[in-house]
């Protein structure tokens, strides 16, 4: 099915960047369609507590996402619940291809598809996913009540989720490949003060061990001494960063070596009328407030771009 209508803007992704872009686009009276393949809110919806979004000293990630969605829906934004399989830039308009083969067109695209948790790619990881291996403590922590678990990683996510798991499980072994954490000082302090967390610095996991019922332990190696040993755990939570979902980014758009889209200060990519916002875009830090800010910037810039295009008469199928 090919929808012949040319919308003003199509937003790909319903996380903080996409929903924020939706709010600004609707307020700018743009004919807007927002496409999301799964749950609205993206990664934030699986975060237990958010403590750094201005105006909310402490709010559940899911609750914050619900507020973003309600806000966007208050402007009657058109939403499509499907997966985007590709995007095709054009001259008069751009096209988005959906997983059912249908195609939607718009003068401007805002790509806000976020990112996905990185894998360690060690033995036992893939086959034990859902059987003890997890990338989401708030989703799966409950299954490990009063059991021993390991957390791998040293960034904010690993520290925050180790603290969360320390309250539910009988013991958390926090494994980090270096001798200092990357995560924020305040989270580090909380981790150091938590009696239920044992920290293993300069240590990497080389295999996740299991039997028929699931994960039974981890094989570890000290990066300084090369010593190896096994520990017994029933759950392994892996938080080693994430990769941008750049598979929807059309060829021809400039990306950095790790797949993040390079934009100018208006969030515009190397293709006119195609914008990138949130975790997909190369920037200093990935934070909810920055994703929301990108949503605002990209929608305002898209509105200006569309106005300029219409003034120049580039709107061949408009209004059909
Ligand atoms: P991150 O900051 O990129 O940290 C990834 C961690 O995993 C690093 O400690 C890294 O070690 C380690 N790592 C990477 N690859 C590894 C491998 N192959 N084997 C072992 N360890 C590996 O990712 P994140 O923690 O998911 O955070 C992502 C972004 O979200 C950050 O900007 C973070 O500040 C933000 N965030 C903020 C909050 C909050 O403010 N409440 C909560 C969560 C996330 P090295 O340190 O040695 O590189």
């Amino acid at each position: 099915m090919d929808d012949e209508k040319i919308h003003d803007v199509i937003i790909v992704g319903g996380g903080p960047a996409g929903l924020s872009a939706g709010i600004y686009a609707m307020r700018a009276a743009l004919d807007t369609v927002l496409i999301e393949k799964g749950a609205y809110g993206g990664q934030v919806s699986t975060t237990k507590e958010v403590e750094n979004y201005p105006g909310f000293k402490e709010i559940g990630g899911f609750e914050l996402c619900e507020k973003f969605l309600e806000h966007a829906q208050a402007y009657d934004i058109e939403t499509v619940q499907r997966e985007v399989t590709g995007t095709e830039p054009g001259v008069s308009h751009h096209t988005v291809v959906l997983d059912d083969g249908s195609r939607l067109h718009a003068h401007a695209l805002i790509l806000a598809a976020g990112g996905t948790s990185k894998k360690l790619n060690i033995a036992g990881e893939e086959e034990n996913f859902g059987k003890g291996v997890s990338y989401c403590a708030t989703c799966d922590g409950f299954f490990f009540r009063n059991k021993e678990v390991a957390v791998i990683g040293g960034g904010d996510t690993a520290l925050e989720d180790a603290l969360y798991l320390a309250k539910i499980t009988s013991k958390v072994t926090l494994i980090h490949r270096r001798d200092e954490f990357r995560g924020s000082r305040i989270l580090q302090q909380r981790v150091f003060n938590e009696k239920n967390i044992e920290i293993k610095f300069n240590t990497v996991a080389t295999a996740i061990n299991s039997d028929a019922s699931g994960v039974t332990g981890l094989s570890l190696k000290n990066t300084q001494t090369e010593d190896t040993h096994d520990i017994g755990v029933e759950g392994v939570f892996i938080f080693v960063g994430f990769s941008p979902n750049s598979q929807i980014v059309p060829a021809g758009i400039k990306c950095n070596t790790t797949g993040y889209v390079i934009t100018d200060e208006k969030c515009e990519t190397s293709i006119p009328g195609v914008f990138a916002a949130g975790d997909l875009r190369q920037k200093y830090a990935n934070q909810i407030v920055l994703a929301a800010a990108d949503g605002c910037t990209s929608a305002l810039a898209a509105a200006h771009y569309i106005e300029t295009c219409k003034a120049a008469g580039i709107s061949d199928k408009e209004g059909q």
Side-chain angles (χ1 to χ4, degrees), residues 49 51-52 118-120 152-158 160 176-178 180-182 187 204 239-242 285-287:
E49 293 293 346
E51 295 180 0
N52 51 13
K118 274 190 188 161
K119 310 287 178 285
L120 276 176
I152 301 174
D156 280 331
T157 307
E160 205 169 73
H176 181 40
R177 63 182 177 181
R178 289 190 293 129
E180 63 174 354
F181 291 123
R182 178 182 293 276
L187 288 175
V204 291
F239 306 115
V240 292
F242 66 90
N286 290 343
Q287 294 288 305

Side-chain angles (χ1 to χ4, degrees), residues 159-179:
L159 302 187
E160 205 169 73
D161 287 26
L163 287 163
Y164 173 69
L165 290 165
K167 303 273 181 276
I168 307 173
T169 62
S170 60
K171 182 184 170 187
V172 176
T173 304
L174 176 55
I175 296 153
H176 181 40
R177 63 182 177 181
R178 289 190 293 129
D179 62 355

Side-chain angles (χ1 to χ4, degrees), residues 147-225:
K147 294 178 179 172
E148 290 196 22
V149 299
V151 167
I152 301 174
D156 280 331
T157 307
L159 302 187
E160 205 169 73
D161 287 26
L163 287 163
Y164 173 69
L165 290 165
K167 303 273 181 276
I168 307 173
T169 62
S170 60
K171 182 184 170 187
V172 176
T173 304
L174 176 55
I175 296 153
H176 181 40
R177 63 182 177 181
R178 289 190 293 129
D179 62 355
E180 63 174 354
F181 291 123
R182 178 182 293 276
S184 64
R185 293 268 167 230
I186 187 163
L187 288 175
Q188 289 191 33
Q189 213 49 57
R190 287 184 201 163
V191 163
F192 292 137
N193 290 338
E194 173 56 64
K195 290 187 186 63
N196 216 13
I197 298 178
E198 180 189 339
I199 300 166
K200 284 186 189 286
F201 281 124
N202 298 317
T203 302
V204 291
T206 52
I208 296 170
N209 307 317
S210 59
D211 61 18
S213 60
V215 168
T216 55
L218 270 178
S219 295
L220 302 176
K221 185 173 85 176
N222 186 298
T223 55
Q224 312 266 290
T225 62

Side-chain angles (χ1 to χ4, degrees), residues 223-292:
T223 55
Q224 312 266 290
T225 62
E226 303 271 308
D227 284 348
T228 59
H229 72 286
D230 287 1
I231 59 167
V233 288
E234 289 181 59
V236 178
F237 290 82
I238 300 168
F239 306 115
V240 292
F242 66 90
S243 319
N245 289 331
S246 41
Q247 59 279 12
I248 56 128
V249 175
I253 280 189
K254 279 192 197 142
C255 294
N256 69 14
T257 49
T258 46
Y260 288 88
V261 176
I262 297 169
T263 71
D264 62 14
E265 63 172 354
K266 294 182 294 173
C267 290
E268 193 164 19
T269 69
S270 49
I271 296 181
V274 181
F275 300 81
D279 289 356
L280 191 60
R281 186 175 88 84
Q282 175 184 274
K283 58 183 180 304
Y284 177 65
N286 290 343
Q287 294 288 305
I288 307 166
V289 67
L290 295 180

Side-chain angles (χ1 to χ4, degrees), residues 45-57:
S45 63
T46 62
T47 300
K48 186 177 164 269
E49 293 293 346
V50 176
E51 295 180 0
N52 51 13
Y53 193 78
F56 298 95
K57 199 159 161 258

